[in-house]
Amino acid sequence: SGAVQQRSRRMRLQQLLLLLLRTAILVLAALAVAEPIWRDEAVGSTSNRSTHQIIVIDRSFSMAVLGQQGSRMDRAKAIAQSIVEEMQAGDAVSVIAWNASTEDVLGRPTFDRDDALAAIGAIEVGDGQADLQAAVSTALAIIAKSGERLGDTRRQRVVIISDLAQNTWSSLAEVAAATSQSSLRSEWARLAGQAEIVVESVNEGVTENLAIVEVAAQPPLASVQGPMEIIARVRNFGQEAQQDLSLELLVDGAPIGEVQIDVPGEQAASATFSFQLADPGSHAFQVRLSGDVDRLDVDNLRWLSIDVPLATRVACFAEDLRDTDEIARALNPNPAAPGGIIVERLTISRLDATSLGAYTAVWLCNVGELSAREARILRQYVWAGGALIIQLGQRVNPASYNELFSA
């Protein structure tokens, strides 16, 4: 029985060793995937080396979201400025402003804290989303050039300050999950091999947001005293429905009207404003959501600029004016109503003598062929910004048009 007990103890020891080995393998595998940053805290180690701080500040659209401590950009600047203020003697700093493109704000590494603080304070929120690869590429370029000014013995530290928006950072997650290599994956690996990477989040977890995503005019060619509509499309990026939202229209800074709109969660809804313009010229339309509807104000308004002529005039040319009847009726069903499109019907023989610059558009109705001079006049008219519509018919010779306008 002693031999059996000894053999049993030996088996339990072997099983324990096997369990420890398996656990160690799992831990090492997890560390390999995580790519941890090892820091040596011993006195006289590389932690006492001077550091080149590369501060990358996200300036994408969503950094304007307001929180309890100001906007996300305000918090990002505060973090960046604290990094600069805590720099040790001999440390240098570079600053990158980053959205769809990047800007090396200082132009080169600096030892001057005041210059760095001023550069950080001048960064403003831009348009669009942030391109992660652009930030990584710029950081690599700065590291490559820093050796000329700072020497190759300096420690590199990249601090990325961002709200971690999904449309930016999902690209890194997709790269990490992919088996094939990509340019972002290889550049991120190069950066991790050359520098310590720190990511600072300024996202407070705000998920509810409304935005005016589109503003359009109907008809697109507006005219004085003619009926006109401004159509605004509002999207709800949150999950909860938003009801009784107040949408306001301003024309040239003056309030014109206000409508109420309900927008279901994760969907869009449209609202229409109907009115007439009294004066020709350039007009600025602004549609805005009234009140404190969310924490991102900058996408709660949208602009549209329209040039309104005194009258919209269209010249319809034909060999037989009866070919212009249907087009004229479609363009202006009620010629007696104010503000409609003015349609002038002319024979093609008068094209040479007509000042086309007075017309918004020229319509050729079943014109068989054009002379070289007529084609040249029409080409110059289009180059000057006019609209040309060629309506086919039984008289039209396609080969003639192809020959004249192919060049």
Side-chain angles (χ1 to χ4, degrees):
S1 69
V4 172
Q5 292 177 354
Q6 185 177 5
R7 188 160 47 252
S8 176
R9 286 195 297 270
R10 188 183 301 115
M11 290 180 64
R12 285 197 297 270
L13 180 60
Q14 290 175 344
Q15 290 172 351
L16 178 60
L17 291 174
L18 182 59
L19 176 62
L20 292 173
L21 180 60
R22 289 173 176 171
T23 303
I25 291 173
L26 291 175
V27 171
L28 290 173
L31 289 175
V33 172
E35 297 183 357
I37 299 172
W38 298 97
R39 295 181 176 86
D40 188 351
E41 302 298 338
V43 176
S45 67
T46 57
S47 62
N48 290 328
R49 293 161 54 193
S50 296
T51 301
H52 177 204
Q53 303 273 6
I54 303 173
I55 303 174
V56 186
I57 299 179
D58 186 345
R59 61 177 178 186
S60 61
F61 201 70
S62 58
M63 290 292 286
V65 169
L66 295 174
Q68 296 179 353
Q69 300 176 349
S71 69
R72 292 176 178 176
M73 176 58 77
D74 293 335
R75 297 196 298 278
K77 288 182 179 181
I79 293 172
Q81 289 166 346
S82 68
I83 293 173
V84 173
E85 290 167 351
E86 293 172 2
M87 287 170 49
Q88 303 298 315
D91 287 353
V93 63
S94 295
V95 179
I96 299 173
W98 156 55
N99 53 348
S101 59
T102 58
E103 178 186 358
D104 182 355
V105 180
L106 293 167
R108 60 179 181 176
T110 183
F111 299 95
D112 191 318
R113 294 185 183 182
D114 292 338
D115 285 350
L117 292 172
I120 293 168
I123 296 175
E124 296 181 352
V125 174
D127 295 328
Q129 68 186 61
D131 181 354
L132 183 58
Q133 184 161 356
V136 173
S137 299
T138 303
L140 283 170
I142 289 177
I143 291 174
K145 294 178 181 179
S146 66
E148 303 173 3
R149 179 172 173 82
L150 305 176
D152 296 329
T153 60
R154 192 175 303 269
R155 186 175 56 156
Q156 305 286 348
R157 185 172 186 260
V158 178
V159 182
I160 303 175
I161 309 173
S162 170
D163 62 358
L164 305 182
Q166 184 178 359
N167 55 9
T168 296
W169 290 88
S170 61
S171 58
L172 185 62
E174 292 167 1
V175 165
T179 55
S180 60
Q181 292 294 324
S182 69
S183 55
L184 175 57
R185 183 172 187 169
S186 60
E187 289 195 343
W188 183 271
R190 282 177 54 205
L191 185 62
Q194 298 178 27
E196 173 188 350
I197 302 176
V198 178
V199 178
E200 294 277 2
S201 173
V202 291
N203 191 331
E204 291 185 336
V206 177
T207 57
E208 302 295 325
N209 185 52
L210 292 160
I212 302 174
V213 294
E214 184 180 8
V215 174
Q218 289 294 336
L221 294 177
S223 58
V224 175
Q225 297 300 334
M228 184 178 184
E229 292 183 341
I230 293 293
I231 303 171
R233 186 164 171 263
V234 180
R235 181 165 183 81
N236 183 357
F237 291 93
Q239 296 182 352
E240 295 185 6
Q242 301 293 327
Q243 297 179 335
D244 296 328
L245 297 172
S246 180
L247 202 61
E248 187 179 10
L249 172 67
L250 292 84
V251 179
D252 300 327
I256 295 296
E258 189 171 352
V259 298
Q260 303 297 313
I261 185 174
D262 297 335
V263 188
E266 299 182 337
Q267 296 184 41
S270 297
T272 301
F273 299 89
S274 300
F275 61 98
Q276 291 180 333
L277 285 171
D279 302 309
S282 296
H283 294 278
F285 299 83
Q286 183 192 66
V287 179
R288 66 188 184 191
L289 284 165
S290 302
D292 186 16
V293 296
D294 57 29
R295 296 189 183 182
L296 184 60
D297 292 334
V298 291
D299 60 358
N300 292 341
L301 59 87
R302 201 170 183 94
W303 296 86
L304 178 68
S305 179
I306 297 178
D307 289 325
V308 180
L310 182 61
T312 299
R313 302 176 65 192
V314 176
C316 293
F317 290 94
E319 295 177 16
D320 184 343
L321 290 183
R322 289 176 296 180
D323 290 331
T324 66
D325 289 346
E326 293 184 4
I327 295 301
R329 192 177 302 112
L331 291 174
N332 191 350
N334 187 6
I341 296 175
I342 299 174
V343 181
E344 297 185 24
R345 302 192 288 175
L346 307 164
T347 59
I348 191 63
S349 61
R350 296 179 59 184
L351 176 64
D352 194 1
T354 302
S355 177
L356 298 184
Y359 299 94
T360 305
V362 169
W363 206 302
L364 300 185
C365 304
N366 196 18
V367 176
E369 295 183 355
L370 296 172
S371 67
R373 177 173 174 75
E374 290 170 338
R376 184 169 60 255
I377 292 172
L378 291 172
R379 188 180 288 111
Q380 291 173 347
Y381 168 73
V382 171
W383 284 345
L388 173 63
I389 302 97
I390 300 174
Q391 178 185 337
L392 301 181
Q394 72 276 14
R395 294 189 183 90
V396 173
N397 180 3
S400 172
Y401 282 89
N402 290 339
E403 182 179 353
L404 287 171
F405 292 109
S406 60

